[in-house]
Amino acid sequence: MAQNKEAWGSRLGVIMAVAGSAVGLGNFLRFPGLAAQYGGGAFMIAYAISFLIIGLPIGWAEWAMGRYAGSLGYNSAPGAFASIVRRPWAKYAGIIGVIIPVVIYMYYVVIEAWCIGYAVNFWTGQMHLQDAKQTVDLFVNFTGAGADASAMSFQFDRALPWLLVVFAFNFWLIYRGLSGGIEKMCNIGMPLLIVLALVVLARVMTLGAPDASKPHDNVYNGLGYMWNPSKVLITKITPGPEDKPREVVGAAAITEAEKEVAASSGSLVLKTVSPWSQLLNPSLWLAAAGQIFFSLSVGFGVIIVYASYMKKDDDVVLSGLTASSANEFCEVALGGLITIPAAVAFLGVAGIAGQAGVGLGFKVLPLVFSKMPAGAFFGGAFFFMLFLAAITSSISMLQPGIAFIEECLGVGRKISVSILGLLTSFGTAFVIYFSADLKALDTLDFWVGTFLIFMLATIQIIVFGWVWGMEKGMSELERGASVKVPAIFRPIIKWVCPAFLLSIFALWLLKEIFGFDLTTAQFGAVSAYVTDLFGASAKLPAQLSVALAVGIFIFFALISSRSKSYRRAEQGLPKNEV
Amino acid sequence: MTTPGFIVMLLSVGTVTFLFGWCIYKVLTTPNETDKVHGVEFMTPDMKEPD
C-alpha cells in the first residue's frame, strides 16, 4: 500500500515537473489581456488554430530533433542543427537558440523579482493603494521606470534587493541540479501554484459587483469582456487620430450607451463587430500566434536542449502534448477566468482597456487587490503564484546556455555555470540599470523575445520538414510514443506551418518594423523600435541593448567556430569517438 | 456576458481541461509511461560531477 502510494506520488511528480516547465508569466498576464482586447471568441479561434498548426508541430519538431542530437551526444541547439543539417552555417543558426533563452533570462528574472517583491509587500501590509495614480507611481518607483538606475536601491519597495535574491536562488537551484533543487521546486511549486490559482479564482468569482454605485462593474461583465465573441463599440462617426472606440459590455451598459448616442446629435454611433470581421484583422492573428510562441516556449531553444537528455525510447509525443496541455489549462482555465473579471469588477471595462502583460499585472491588478476584502492575502497569493510560474520557467532558460558552453569549450558544469552566471549577471545589471521607461527590457523583449523567436521557429520547422525530411523526422518523433501523431500533422508540418509562419512573419515585419497599418492598409510612421536605434531620435539604452544581444551572438559564434564538437556534428559523427 | 460568450468560455475551458485530463490519464495508466515522459526534471550527465 505504502509502495503503491509512493508510486502514485512519483507519477504525479512527473506530471508536475512537465507542467512546471510549461507554465509561465504569460499564462496569467499576457493571455487574458490579449484575449479581451481582440474579442474573446474571435481570438480563441485564431489561438486554437495557431496552437494546432504552430504550437504542437514546432514543439514536437523540437522534441524530436533534440532527442536525435542527444543520441549523438549533442545537447545544445547549435549541436542539434549541425548534426541534422550537416553544413557549417547550421551551428550559427543554432546559436539563435542559445541567445534567446540567455537574453530572455536577463530580463525575465527582473520581472520575476517584481512578482516576489509585490507578493511580500502585499503580505506585509505595505500595499495601500487608493487610485490608479498611486498604483502607477508604485510601479514606476519599484521598477525604476521613472529614471535610469532609480530601482538600484536597497529598499524593499525597490526591485534591486528582490532581484539579487531571485537571481541567486535561480543559480543555486541550477547549480544544485535535479535532486538538490529543480525537482523539489517543481514538485512543491506546481501544486502550490494551482492551489493558489484556484483560491484566487474562487475569490474572484464571488466578488459580484463590489461597488454598489457602479453596478455595471461586476464579475459577470468582466467574463463578458473576456469571452463575448461580438464586441459592442461606441465610437465617433468621424474619429480624430486620438479618438479610440470604447467597448461597452452588459445589457444595462448598452442601454446607457444607446442613450448617450441619441443625445450626441449624430456625432456618436454604436456598432457591433462580429467575430468574423475581427478575424479579418491580421493583428489578431499576429497576437494569437505570438502568444502561442511565448506561452508554449516553442522557438525558444529550450525544448530542444531538454529533449537531448531523453533516452531513445522515451515518449516525446506525449511529453510535448502533456506540457502543452498543462500550459493551456493554466492559461485558459485559470488565467482566463481570474485576471480580467477581477479587474473589470473593480475598475470597469474603461479602466483596463488596452492593458495586457506587464501593464495589466503591475499597473492594474495591485489596485484591484487593494480594493478587495482581504486583498493583502489574495494580492500576495496572486503575485506569489506568478513568482512560482516564473521561476519554473527561468530555471529552464539556463540549461541551454550551460550545455552550449560545456560543449563548445569542453569544460565541466561548474565552470559553465560560472561563465553563464557572469554573463547573465552583467546582462541583468544592464536591464535594471537602464530602467527608464523600461527601455532595455522592452527593446530586448522585442528584438530577442519576439523577432528572434519567430526566426528560430521558422528555421526549426523548415529544418525538420524540408532538410531533415518528413520520413526521418516523423519516425524519430514517433519512436517510443504511446500515442501516434495523427496523419493530418504531416501536411501541416511540411506545408501549412511554414507557410503560416512565413505569412505571419511577413505581416509582423510590415506592422512592427515598417509601421504598416494592417486594418487601413496604409504605411504610417516607422516603428519606435527602429527609430530608437537609428536617426535623430535614437536612444542609447535601446542601442546598447541591441549591441548586447549582437555582442553575445558574436562571442558565441567565435567560440562555436573553433569547437571540435561541432566539426564532428557537421560530419554526422557522434560528439565522442566510440 | 452574452449566451455566445458563455458558450465560448465553456468550450475553451472545457477543451483545455479535457485535453490536460486526458494527458494525465494517459501518462498514469500506460505501463511504464511515467519513466518515458519528461519536462525539465532531467538528471543531466554534467550534474553528476564530483564536488
Side-chain angles (χ1 to χ4, degrees), chain A residues 79 103 107 114 150 189 203 470 539 541:
Chain A
V103 173
Y107 64 82
W114 300 349
S150 59
R203 183 69 196 98
M470 288 303 294
K539 296 189 172 58

Side-chain angles (χ1 to χ4, degrees), chain A residues 129-146:
Chain A
L129 302 164
Q130 302 297 324
D131 53 36
K133 187 183 174 305
Q134 270 189 9
T135 316
V136 172
D137 287 348
L138 171 87
F139 176 77
V140 168
N141 289 332
F142 193 91
T143 60

Side-chain angles (χ1 to χ4, degrees), chain A residues 17-223:
Chain A
V18 175
S21 61
V23 176
L25 284 174
N27 299 140
F28 297 97
L29 298 181
R30 204 164 179 264
F31 167 78
L34 288 177
Q37 186 180 343
Y38 288 102
F43 183 84
M44 288 312 292
I45 291 171
Y47 181 80
I49 291 173
S50 299
F51 175 71
L52 290 174
I53 67 176
I54 298 180
L56 277 181
I58 300 175
W60 277 333
E62 284 193 44
W63 284 98
M65 290 194 293
R67 185 177 59 174
Y68 170 78
S71 70
L72 296 173
Y74 302 104
N75 303 115
S76 69
F81 277 35
S83 64
I84 289 169
V85 178
R86 299 184 188 177
R87 295 276 186 281
W89 62 263
K91 61 178 175 286
Y92 300 114
I95 287 173
I96 300 173
V98 186
I99 295 276
I100 292 171
V102 167
V103 173
I104 290 183
Y105 177 83
M106 292 171 181
Y107 64 82
Y108 198 87
V109 76
V110 173
I111 304 175
E112 199 173 303
W114 300 349
C115 295
I116 190 70
Y118 269 53
V120 176
N121 276 302
F122 260 113
W123 275 334
T124 52
Q126 306 300 312
M127 300 287 228
H128 305 291
L129 302 164
Q130 302 297 324
D131 53 36
K133 187 183 174 305
Q134 270 189 9
T135 316
V136 172
D137 287 348
L138 171 87
F139 176 77
V140 168
N141 289 332
F142 193 91
T143 60
D148 283 339
S150 59
M152 299 186 82
S153 158
F154 283 96
Q155 293 167 272
F156 290 129
D157 60 353
R158 297 287 188 278
L160 185 65
W162 305 106
L163 179 62
L164 293 176
V165 170
V166 165
F167 193 92
F169 187 50
N170 268 277
F171 269 89
W172 180 75
L173 284 176
I174 200 84
Y175 187 78
R176 297 268 297 168
L178 176 82
S179 54
I182 300 170
E183 190 178 34
K184 281 181 191 159
M185 188 66 220
C186 287
N187 284 351
I188 298 168
M190 269 313 292
L192 187 59
L193 181 148
I194 290 175
V195 169
L196 286 175
L198 291 172
V199 168
V200 176
L201 176 64
R203 183 69 196 98
V204 169
M205 288 298 124
T206 51
L207 280 172
D211 186 346
S213 66
K214 294 177 185 167
H216 308 327
D217 297 350
N218 59 54
V219 172
Y220 194 65
N221 281 348
L223 288 170

